[in-house]
Amino acid sequence: MGGITGSFLLLCLISLANANTSPEIHSHVYSVCEDTPTGRTAFTINATDAENDPLTYKLTGPNAVFFTVGASTGIVTVSRQLDRESDDLMPLGVLISDGPNSTPGELNIILLEANDNKPIFEESSYDVEIPEDTAVGTSLFRVLATDADTAAAGVVQYRIDEVTPNNGISLFGIVSTTGEVRLTGRLNYTELSTFYRLKINATDGGGKCYFNETNYLSSIAFSFITVVDVPDLDPQFIGLPYITRVEESSPVGLSVFKVTAFDQDTGVNDDIIYSTEDSTADGLFSISRDDGIISVLSDIDREVIGDTVTMTVKATESKLNIHGIYASTTANVQIDIIDINDNKPEFYKCGGSGDEVSCVTESHFTGEVFEHSLGTIPINMTVKDPDKISYTELILEGTDKDVFSVEPQFTMTDSIVQLLVKQPQAVDYEEKQQMILQVIAMDKEETSFRSTATVTINIKDTNDNSPTFPLDTYKLTVTEHSPVGTIVANITAEDPDTMDKGKLIYRLLPDSILLYFDVDPHTGTIFVKNEALLDREVRSLYYATLQARDTDGKTGTTVLDITLTDINDQPPVINRNTPPVFVEEGGHFEIKIEATDADEPNTVNSQIVFGIIPSKYSDNFTIDPDTGVLRNKGELDREAIDPELKGRIELHINASDKGIPPLSTTVTVIINVEDVNDNAPHFEAHFYKFSVKEGEKGAYVGSVHAEDLDQTTDFNRISFSIIDGSFGSFIIRTFAEERRYRGNITVDPDIELDYESSRTHFRLRVEAADLEQKKAEVMVEVDVLDVNDERPEFKPTVPVTVKENTTITEAVGKFLGHDKDGNHSLVYELESIICRCNGSLSPCSWFILDPTGEVRVNPEHTVDYEQCDQVVMEAQVVDVYTEKGENNSVTTGQMVINIEDINDNAPEFIPSGSVFVVVSESASKGTSVAGVTATDRDSGINRQIDFKVTAVQFEDTNNHTSNMRMLFEAITTQQKDIYIGIIQTTEGLDMTLRGKYKVTATATDTGGLSSSTILDIFTVDESYKVELQFTRSVDEVENKRNEIVRALTAATKAAVEIVAIKSDSTDASRASGVTVMVAYFVYSNGTALTSNEVEKMLSDPDHYLVLTDLGLRYIGKVPVNEPDTDPVKYILLGIVGGLIIVLGVLTTSLMCTRRNYRRKLKAAKAMNSASMVTSDNQKSGPVVPGTNKYTMEGANPVLNLNIDTAMVLDLEEESSDVDKVSLTSLDYSDYTTNPEKDTKPVIQMAQEEEEEDRRLPEYSEPLGAALAQRGQKKDKLCVGFSNPAFSTTDL
């Protein structure tokens, strides 16, 4: 029964399973943008299940790699970049399952266009050549670009983005739709560019799909257009204007000038033919047809043809131009004819006027002159020299040649000749009526060219005598105020000319004298003309000139000296206003009253007597009657004078002469008696006492009074001052009252008295002083009344020190304040934090201030000594209980925090561009070969540096590097803050090595911090040594060593290493002072120059002259005299050396034979191991590890030969059985695989050559076993690291 029930249940389950339907796919076509980014949703598979079972989705088929589907959602995302141009319809397999059932299907994915392809030009460049006369509008070429996209994205538009040069942008255009490039402007090969580069842009129509923004793509192609020149321009002369010169009478055929023309069509450059078109003087010059040289054709006479000849020359192209004609051009050539001296000067007599002037040669000329006259004598003479440039000298000859001069004396042109009277006194009619001269014209350059003319001069008589007086001066006298008509004198003149006898006319000069005197014009009588004006006191002496004139107007004169005699008609006159006299009371004064009398000096009429007219105060004064000196009799007292007069006294002084009758004058003298300060101030009371409350600025304390008995304000004015006891707390101000002064004492407006201070009682010493500091003193006591008003104050804060980089949370310092009031509560507030960084101050936030005054490190910042070495904090203390006045401190408290340096900076090397080399001369022990410099940012002892050489390697010319022993050491020195490490050798270096030493120099400070740098020290062979000879002494070369090094470096561009400067060893060189400099020339990469290379570089003219000036004479190996040698000694040495070599060869052969056998044995062992290795690509034969050979048919024939091991290992039948047994034993070697991962294999090789029977270590590859046998060294463990991605088989 149980079996039946189980079968029934099984049938039911099967039935239920068959009733579940499969999922259904509703849509098989989907559109996806080809530019959908990876990871973005492409579409959602539309499928359902009738039972609504959960569906799972899976993509199948070759295109499934482009999409990813959510297994439970059916959302398909893009996993690879799509490309419509590759396939616009993608079939995509899909498998949908609801669990029991699965539905396969195929979806068709239509890829929608997105503009993802840019236009592509069919050609990379479009190059054309076009003639410059190509017509505008001509099609030049056509560009074509294709776009793989469709629709608008595949439509290409063309444009020209750029034309080079820029001015060609207007010359070319392009049809945007077809790409046809056309000429839009005229080309010009000469004036415009001959070459153009067009930057052509092809842009598609744009498109968008997944993204909303339209995307445009474009490409660029270049077109190079070459303009071809055509003959369309006329030739052109250059160097215009053409002006030249040639001497007259030049020989025929002489070259005068050369004209040059060129074809403006530079691309054609046609030949030019020269010819003469016209000339102002035919037949004089000709021009060469080919080269344009103008030469003399016939004789040239400047006096005939003139100064200038103008030729018109023509330049014609040898070929037809584009118009079918021979292009030509003309130019004028001006040829100036240079004159030569070939004519003599001659005299001419000219007549006529204007354009009708005519001249004829003449040798006789006449002229006339009045006796004793000056000026020119016209003789109508002209001198001419036909030459253009002449220098004619005119001289006089004859008996009377010294009486006259000729003008001009020298001339360079045609000139009118005149005679001038040089000695008029010799031209006297009474002595001679006619004079004859010869005028000679002579060419200065050729004195044989001369002409002579005779000149006759007739002398005419003149009236040449003037009237004269017997005396030159007449002294006359007359009394002042004489009546009109009074005769002063009678004076007449004489004239030797007979026509002037009795006909002289007299006159007084100047006209101003006629106001006082006059003269009878016929008799010469002089008389008084005005009585009133003759005043001796006004003018005592008159000067006049008496003139006599004859009938011809000639005059003669004499001087009249007229003196007026005195009468007493003038009273005394005070010379000037007497200024007021100022005299201090009790003092003395003197003042001189000066008066003058205009009457005759030293007579009674002018003698003056002084006196004082009596008055109220006249008895106090006296005056000297003769000198007029006024002085006081005794001391003057200002207080004795009426106060209303204010010290002013008036005295009347009388001045009288001694004439008959006497005349007098009175003057008033003002005397001011000045007050002096002879009274001191005095106080009204002997003592004053006041009180004032504390804390009131400017509070009134009390007043003091004082008086000065002096009358004037200059001396009784009083000022008060506190001279002691105030301690800066009080001030006093002065006020004037009717007859006294008041001093108000107040508290200083800037001071508040403090009862809590030590000063509650003041004893003020008050002083009253007048302007001249006469003083009086009084004592004033002031008591201070208590008020609670004290402000808190800071106590001095000592500097604190904080180490840099500290992280402590405890207080590093504390501000302390106090308040004089008994009840107070102090709170501290931060004002500022200033850091001193690199010598300058700037705000910072390294520390914080608690209200209690404690200072702590700000945990948000790091204290760094190298950044800032000091911090200054300023704080304010506030008393919260203050009732009156300010509650904070007057001044801020200041705390100085010094940052202490710790050793937190390693030394830093200073880069250097120096090249370090080792040469044979510097390879000995203790020689300095390099240097390093370093600094440390720390301070003090922390910045001290010690250098040490920590490693030495040698890199040969094949870039193989090997470790060396410590061949170098570092010596530490210091220059200021920079430490210098001098690298020197510890032993002699092997100069046979070729390459460079890599020396690791380490700089360590006192705290153990260090840094290293590697120096390249190049070895330079002695063969690169260059010896330079200088014609200077050793001292001179040493002194100019830096200049020589700079010159050598400039010439070779290499570092110069000087190893020796010495005198030449040869006797001849030593006698002549020759010095040899031995040097190496090395580049920064270690390459050295040979002597020949240096010599070639130094021979450059730009550098040779500089080095020659420095004394360089010879470059290369200096020849030396070889000493005599003993041949027997060298023969014996050769025999010994040969024996040593034979012994060495035998020893080496024995060792090599044994080593060769061992190497072949190991190779056979490796081959045996290789036969045990299997590989997927192995066809046949053993695989040799460490080679590129995997099969017997591979690329390496050597490793795949069918090797007879007996032959290769030299194991013939004669070989011992022991050798064969050794080979056979290879088959039983034990090889195991390294259990480590293959990514980190480590091959350990440690084997001694003498212990052949020891068990080999385990190796991951057979080649390791073979290589382990090679390169084994005694007592040394070698560890090699293998790249896991690169095994020995890969080699």
Side-chain angles (χ1 to χ4, degrees):
M1 184 66 182
I4 296 174
T5 302
S7 300
F8 177 77
L9 292 175
L10 180 60
L11 292 173
C12 290
L13 291 173
I14 293 173
S15 299
L16 290 174
N18 292 332
N20 190 309
T21 61
S22 299
E24 182 180 358
I25 300 174
H26 300 288
S27 179
H28 290 81
V29 179
Y30 297 93
S31 297
V32 179
C33 291
E34 65 172 326
D35 61 341
T36 303
T38 57
R40 298 292 181 91
T41 301
F43 59 91
T44 302
I45 299 174
N46 186 5
T48 59
D49 184 75
E51 291 78 23
N52 291 325
D53 292 333
L55 302 180
T56 58
Y57 302 86
K58 181 180 180 182
L59 300 179
T60 62
N63 291 327
V65 296
F66 291 95
F67 301 95
T68 301
V69 65
S72 60
T73 62
I75 297 175
V76 179
T77 58
V78 177
S79 60
R80 287 190 183 182
Q81 183 65 45
L82 304 177
D83 186 11
R84 187 202 65 81
E85 287 71 29
S86 298
D87 192 357
D88 57 352
L89 181 63
M90 299 178 64
L92 178 64
V94 62
L95 181 65
I96 303 174
S97 173
D98 61 356
N101 302 311
S102 296
T103 302
E106 183 177 275
L107 306 181
N108 291 317
I109 311 301
I110 300 175
L111 296 183
L112 302 180
E113 173 63 47
N115 189 16
D116 59 345
N117 292 279
K118 64 181 180 179
I120 303 299
F121 283 95
E122 289 187 349
E123 298 183 21
S124 61
S125 177
Y126 298 85
D127 301 340
V128 296
E129 292 184 354
I130 57 175
E132 65 170 326
D133 59 347
T134 301
V136 175
T138 302
S139 176
L140 304 181
F141 58 91
R142 181 176 180 181
V143 299
L144 180 63
T146 59
D147 193 315
D149 295 319
T150 60
V155 178
V156 180
Q157 295 284 328
Y158 303 93
R159 69 174 184 272
I160 298 177
D161 283 351
E162 179 184 292
V163 178
T164 304
N166 294 333
N167 57 7
I169 192 66
S170 62
L171 299 179
F172 305 96
I174 190 169
V175 179
S176 62
T177 56
T178 65
E180 182 181 7
V181 178
R182 296 177 179 174
L183 185 66
T184 60
R186 289 207 170 272
L187 301 174
N188 193 312
Y189 184 88
T190 305
E191 297 180 1
L192 301 178
S193 178
T194 62
F195 171 84
Y196 297 94
R197 190 191 74 168
L198 277 59
K199 182 180 180 182
I200 301 175
N201 181 297
T203 304
D204 60 22
K208 61 182 179 179
C209 186
Y210 183 83
F211 300 98
N212 291 328
E213 182 178 355
T214 301
N215 182 30
Y216 296 92
L217 300 176
S218 62
S219 296
I220 298 297
F222 289 94
S223 172
F224 298 90
I225 299 177
T226 302
V227 180
V228 180
D229 194 13
V230 297
D232 60 343
L233 297 174
D234 293 337
Q236 180 180 353
F237 282 100
I238 60 174
L240 295 174
Y242 292 142
I243 300 175
T244 185
R245 55 194 299 182
V246 63
E247 286 187 352
E248 61 175 329
S249 302
S250 294
V252 175
L254 176 67
S255 296
V256 177
F257 191 68
K258 181 179 181 180
V259 298
T260 303
F262 71 98
D263 187 355
Q264 294 191 74
D265 299 310
T266 57
V268 178
N269 196 20
D270 199 359
D271 293 335
I272 304 298
I273 299 174
Y274 300 93
S275 62
T276 301
E277 191 79 359
D278 192 14
S279 176
T280 57
D282 294 335
L284 283 182
F285 301 98
S286 64
I287 186 169
S288 172
R289 168 187 172 89
D290 298 326
D291 52 18
I293 296 177
I294 298 173
S295 57
V296 177
L297 186 61
S298 62
D299 185 53
I300 304 172
D301 188 356
R302 188 198 66 82
E303 287 75 23
V304 176
I305 65 174
D307 294 331
T308 303
V309 175
T310 301
M311 291 181 63
T312 301
V313 296
K314 183 177 181 180
T316 306
E317 294 181 3
S318 61
K319 298 178 183 178
L320 297 175
N321 61 10
I322 61 173
H323 305 296
I325 62 174
Y326 293 99
S328 64
T329 185
T330 60
N332 289 332
V333 180
Q334 176 182 323
I335 304 175
D336 296 330
I337 309 302
I338 302 173
D339 183 38
I340 63 174
N341 190 9
D342 55 353
N343 294 279
K344 72 175 182 177
E346 294 193 29
F347 294 101
Y348 295 83
K349 182 178 289 186
C350 300
S353 62
D355 297 334
E356 298 181 357
V357 175
S358 61
C359 298
V360 295
T361 57
E362 184 63 62
S363 60
H364 292 86
F365 299 86
T366 60
E368 59 182 20
V369 62
F370 287 101
E371 63 173 334
H372 306 304
S373 64
L374 291 171
T376 60
I377 303 174
I379 57 176
N380 191 18
M381 177 187 287
T382 300
V383 64
K384 296 182 179 182
D385 191 323
D387 294 322
K388 182 178 181 179
I389 300 175
S390 61
Y391 193 22
T392 304
E393 179 182 11
L394 296 173
I395 58 177
L396 294 178
E397 293 292 342
T399 306
D400 300 313
K401 66 178 181 178
D402 295 333
V403 179
F404 304 92
S405 63
V406 63
E407 287 295 333
Q409 296 180 0
F410 300 95
T411 180
M412 299 179 68
T413 60
D414 298 345
S415 302
I416 297 175
V417 180
Q418 294 179 331
L419 296 180
L420 280 73
V421 179
K422 186 168 64 173
Q423 298 178 1
Q425 69 279 5
V427 183
D428 192 349
Y429 179 82
E430 286 74 19
E431 296 293 333
K432 186 182 290 186
Q433 289 76 39
Q434 189 179 76
M435 296 183 177
I436 299 175
L437 302 171
Q438 287 78 39
V439 180
I440 301 174
M442 180 176 61
D443 192 322
K444 285 290 291 181
E445 294 182 355
E446 183 57 56
T447 57
S448 61
F449 292 167
R450 59 172 61 197
S451 298
T452 303
T454 301
V455 180
T456 301
I457 300 174
N458 297 314
I459 300 173
K460 299 172 66 177
D461 190 19
T462 61
N463 186 0
D464 54 349
N465 293 294
S466 300
T468 58
F469 289 93
L471 298 176
D472 293 334
T473 302
Y474 291 87
K475 292 186 178 293
L476 308 176
T477 60
V478 63
T479 304
E480 64 176 327
H481 303 301
S482 294
V484 176
T486 302
I487 295 174
V488 179
N490 188 15
I491 303 173
T492 59
E494 297 178 356
D495 191 325
D497 293 328
T498 57
M499 73 284 290
D500 293 329
K501 296 298 183 182
K503 296 181 181 181
L504 299 181
I505 302 300
Y506 297 94
R507 180 186 176 190
L508 283 180
L509 298 173
D511 291 341
S512 60
I513 199 65
L514 298 180
L515 294 174
Y516 311 97
F517 304 97
D518 205 349
V519 65
D520 187 298
H522 302 292
T523 64
T525 301
I526 300 168
F527 56 89
V528 175
K529 190 174 182 181
N530 190 314
E531 177 183 355
L533 294 180
L534 293 180
D535 187 352
R536 195 204 65 81
E537 286 73 26
V538 176
R539 183 176 179 182
S540 62
L541 184 62
Y542 294 86
Y543 293 97
T545 300
L546 179 60
Q547 181 188 76
R549 181 184 299 273
D550 63 12
T551 57
D552 195 36
K554 290 183 174 60
T555 61
T557 60
T558 186
V559 176
L560 304 180
D561 186 348
I562 305 172
T563 302
L564 300 183
T565 58
D566 184 41
I567 62 175
N568 189 19
D569 59 346
Q570 298 295 323
V573 176
I574 304 299
N575 288 351
R576 56 187 176 85
N577 293 331
T578 304
V581 177
F582 293 89
V583 59
E584 292 182 351
E585 60 177 327
H588 296 273
F589 78 94
E590 286 187 0
I591 183 173
K592 185 175 184 181
I593 308 300
E594 295 181 351
T596 58
D597 194 311
D599 289 324
E600 183 74 20
N602 300 323
T603 64
V604 294
N605 293 335
S606 61
Q607 293 181 4
I608 300 174
V609 178
F610 297 94
I612 299 175
I613 299 175
S615 63
K616 181 177 180 180
Y617 300 105
S618 61
D619 293 340
N620 295 318
F621 304 94
T622 182
I623 190 170
D624 189 304
D626 297 323
T627 62
V629 175
L630 177 66
R631 55 175 65 91
N632 57 313
K633 291 183 179 179
E635 292 186 356
L636 300 177
D637 186 2
R638 167 68 182 268
E639 286 72 24
I641 303 173
D642 187 354
E644 297 296 330
L645 296 177
K646 296 182 179 180
R648 188 173 185 270
I649 300 175
E650 293 185 1
L651 292 180
H652 302 285
I653 308 300
N654 179 63
S656 175
D657 63 21
K658 295 182 179 180
I660 300 175
L663 302 176
S664 64
T665 300
T666 303
V667 65
T668 300
V669 178
I670 305 301
I671 301 173
N672 292 290
V673 180
E674 296 180 330
D675 190 18
V676 297
N677 189 10
D678 52 357
N679 292 284
H682 66 276
F683 287 94
E684 293 183 353
H686 298 290
F687 176 77
Y688 295 91
K689 185 176 179 62
F690 309 106
S691 62
V692 64
K693 290 183 178 181
E694 71 165 330
E696 295 183 6
K697 296 182 178 180
Y700 173 75
V701 178
S703 300
V704 296
H705 297 84
E707 180 183 3
D708 193 312
L709 298 180
D710 290 321
Q711 295 181 358
T712 59
T713 56
D714 290 340
F715 299 115
N716 63 15
R717 182 180 301 168
I718 297 173
S719 64
F720 296 96
S721 61
I722 301 174
I723 61 176
D724 191 20
S726 171
F727 300 101
S729 300
F730 301 94
I731 61 174
I732 187 168
R733 290 188 174 90
T734 304
F735 299 92
E737 296 182 348
E738 183 177 355
R739 293 188 57 82
R740 64 178 183 174
Y741 286 84
R742 182 182 77 252
N744 289 348
I745 301 174
T746 60
V747 178
D748 192 318
D750 297 328
I751 299 298
E752 289 187 359
L753 298 178
D754 189 0
Y755 182 81
E756 286 74 21
S757 67
S758 60
R759 301 187 186 280
T760 58
H761 180 77
F762 294 86
R763 291 178 57 85
L764 309 181
R765 193 151 57 96
V766 179
E767 180 183 81
D770 59 19
L771 295 181
E772 292 191 351
Q773 296 301 307
K774 290 194 174 184
K775 304 172 183 178
E777 294 182 4
V778 70
M779 187 62 67
V780 178
E781 292 188 359
V782 180
D783 293 324
V784 180
L785 305 180
D786 186 28
V787 175
N788 186 9
D789 58 351
E790 293 299 324
R791 300 175 68 175
E793 297 177 351
F794 276 100
K795 292 183 179 179
T797 303
V798 297
V800 298
T801 300
V802 176
K803 291 186 177 181
E804 67 174 328
N805 303 328
T806 184
T807 58
I808 61 173
T809 59
E810 294 82 15
V812 298
K814 185 175 183 180
F815 286 94
L816 296 177
H818 70 282
D819 196 320
K820 295 179 181 179
D821 295 325
N823 184 21
H824 63 268
S825 177
L826 303 182
V827 177
Y828 297 86
E829 299 174 352
L830 180 64
E831 286 290 316
S832 67
I833 302 179
I834 303 296
C835 290
R836 185 176 70 188
C837 306
N838 298 324
S840 61
L841 302 178
S842 60
C844 61
S845 303
W846 284 3
F847 298 89
I848 56 178
L849 176 64
D850 293 339
T852 59
E854 291 183 339
V855 178
R856 304 178 188 276
V857 177
N858 191 342
E860 297 180 1
H861 296 273
T862 301
V863 180
D864 188 357
Y865 175 85
E866 283 70 32
Q867 182 179 354
C868 304
D869 60 355
Q870 190 180 78
V871 179
V872 179
M873 293 186 67
E874 284 192 358
Q876 185 69 264
V877 58
V878 177
D879 184 1
V880 297
Y881 292 162
T882 300
E883 296 176 331
K884 179 183 178 182
E886 300 292 333
N887 65 346
N888 60 333
S889 60
V890 177
T891 59
T892 58
Q894 188 179 85
M895 178 182 293
V896 177
I897 304 174
N898 295 313
I899 309 302
E900 182 179 346
D901 184 30
I902 64 174
N903 190 13
D904 61 342
N905 290 280
E908 297 176 355
F909 283 92
I910 301 175
S912 172
S914 302
V915 179
F916 303 121
V917 299
V918 174
V919 296
S920 60
E921 289 81 354
S922 61
S924 59
K925 178 180 179 181
T927 304
S928 298
V929 295
V932 293
T933 56
T935 60
D936 196 312
R937 296 178 59 197
D938 293 320
S939 64
I941 193 174
N942 294 330
R943 73 184 309 161
Q944 294 181 6
I945 299 174
D946 181 63
F947 294 95
K948 185 177 181 181
V949 175
T950 56
V952 178
Q953 293 180 315
F954 187 84
E955 181 179 313
D956 59 19
T957 55
N958 295 322
N959 296 327
H960 294 158
T961 303
S962 59
N963 295 324
M964 305 288 288
R965 60 183 179 276
M966 289 300 172
L967 300 176
F968 303 90
E969 64 180 359
I971 305 300
T972 304
T973 62
Q974 182 181 1
Q975 291 183 359
K976 296 183 178 179
D977 294 333
I978 298 177
Y979 286 82
I980 301 174
I982 300 174
I983 308 301
Q984 64 182 24
T985 57
T986 59
E987 62 183 77
L989 302 180
D990 184 4
M991 291 308 297
T992 61
L993 297 178
R994 297 292 179 266
K996 61 182 178 181
Y997 290 96
K998 302 178 73 67
V999 179
T1000 302
T1002 302
T1004 307
D1005 60 19
T1006 54
L1009 299 180
S1010 63
S1011 58
S1012 299
T1013 185
I1014 297 177
L1015 302 177
D1016 289 340
I1017 304 177
F1018 297 94
T1019 61
V1020 180
D1021 187 70
E1022 190 176 8
S1023 61
Y1024 292 96
K1025 182 192 301 182
V1026 179
E1027 295 182 351
L1028 308 173
Q1029 276 193 3
F1030 289 84
T1031 57
R1032 300 285 191 273
S1033 65
V1034 173
D1035 292 338
E1036 290 175 330
V1037 174
E1038 286 287 359
N1039 292 335
K1040 292 189 176 182
R1041 176 172 181 156
N1042 293 334
E1043 294 182 41
I1044 295 172
V1045 170
R1046 284 195 294 269
L1048 294 175
T1049 302
T1052 62
K1053 304 297 185 295
V1056 181
E1057 180 75 14
I1058 297 177
V1059 297
I1061 297 177
K1062 58 187 178 180
S1063 177
D1064 196 350
S1065 60
T1066 62
D1067 296 336
S1069 299
R1070 190 161 50 245
S1072 59
V1074 174
T1075 299
V1076 175
M1077 175 183 287
V1078 182
Y1080 293 85
F1081 295 81
V1082 186
Y1083 288 113
S1084 58
N1085 61 356
T1087 303
L1089 296 176
T1090 64
S1091 178
N1092 292 335
E1093 292 172 337
V1094 173
E1095 182 177 4
K1096 182 178 179 181
M1097 293 181 179
L1098 300 188
S1099 299
D1100 190 302
D1102 294 338
H1103 307 289
Y1104 180 77
L1105 295 178
V1106 177
L1107 292 168
T1108 303
D1109 293 338
L1110 294 173
L1112 180 63
R1113 187 183 75 170
Y1114 178 83
I1115 306 170
K1117 299 296 182 180
V1118 180
V1120 296
N1121 295 326
E1122 294 292 340
D1124 295 335
T1125 58
D1126 184 3
V1128 177
K1129 178 176 64 176
Y1130 285 98
I1131 292 173
L1132 294 177
L1133 290 176
I1135 294 173
V1136 174
L1139 293 176
I1140 293 174
I1141 292 173
V1142 171
L1143 182 60
V1145 168
L1146 294 176
T1147 304
T1148 304
S1149 300
L1150 181 62
M1151 294 177 63
C1152 290
T1153 300
R1154 178 177 175 80
R1155 186 179 298 273
N1156 186 42
Y1157 171 76
R1158 290 178 179 176
R1159 181 169 61 251
K1160 294 176 181 180
L1161 188 64
K1162 294 172 185 177
K1165 185 184 294 184
M1167 183 65 70
N1168 188 50
S1169 300
S1171 61
M1172 300 171 63
V1173 179
T1174 61
S1175 176
D1176 294 338
N1177 62 351
Q1178 183 175 356
K1179 296 181 180 179
S1180 64
V1183 177
V1184 180
T1187 71
N1188 60 350
K1189 179 65 183 67
Y1190 294 93
T1191 68
M1192 293 300 292
E1193 293 79 23
N1196 194 334
V1198 176
L1199 297 178
N1200 293 283
L1201 296 175
N1202 294 322
I1203 301 174
D1204 184 19
T1205 55
M1207 177 189 69
V1208 173
L1209 296 178
D1210 294 331
L1211 301 179
E1212 306 295 342
E1213 275 76 17
E1214 294 81 13
S1215 298
S1216 66
D1217 293 336
V1218 178
D1219 294 335
K1220 296 181 180 180
V1221 172
S1222 299
L1223 178 60
T1224 305
S1225 64
L1226 294 176
D1227 297 335
Y1228 302 97
S1229 299
D1230 185 13
Y1231 294 92
T1232 59
T1233 303
N1234 192 342
E1236 304 260 355
K1237 294 183 180 180
D1238 291 340
T1239 58
K1240 300 272 184 185
V1242 177
I1243 301 176
Q1244 298 182 351
M1245 298 178 291
Q1247 185 72 31
E1248 294 184 1
E1249 294 183 356
E1250 289 78 4
E1251 298 177 357
E1252 295 291 331
D1253 55 337
R1254 293 181 57 182
R1255 182 181 182 274
L1256 295 174
E1258 297 179 350
Y1259 297 96
S1260 60
E1261 291 185 320
L1263 182 60
L1267 296 178
Q1269 305 302 319
R1270 183 183 182 189
Q1272 294 175 346
K1273 296 184 179 180
K1274 294 182 179 181
D1275 303 325
K1276 184 173 293 187
L1277 178 63
C1278 297
V1279 181
F1281 296 93
S1282 175
N1283 189 338
F1286 190 71
S1287 66
T1288 54
T1289 305
D1290 295 328
L1291 293 175

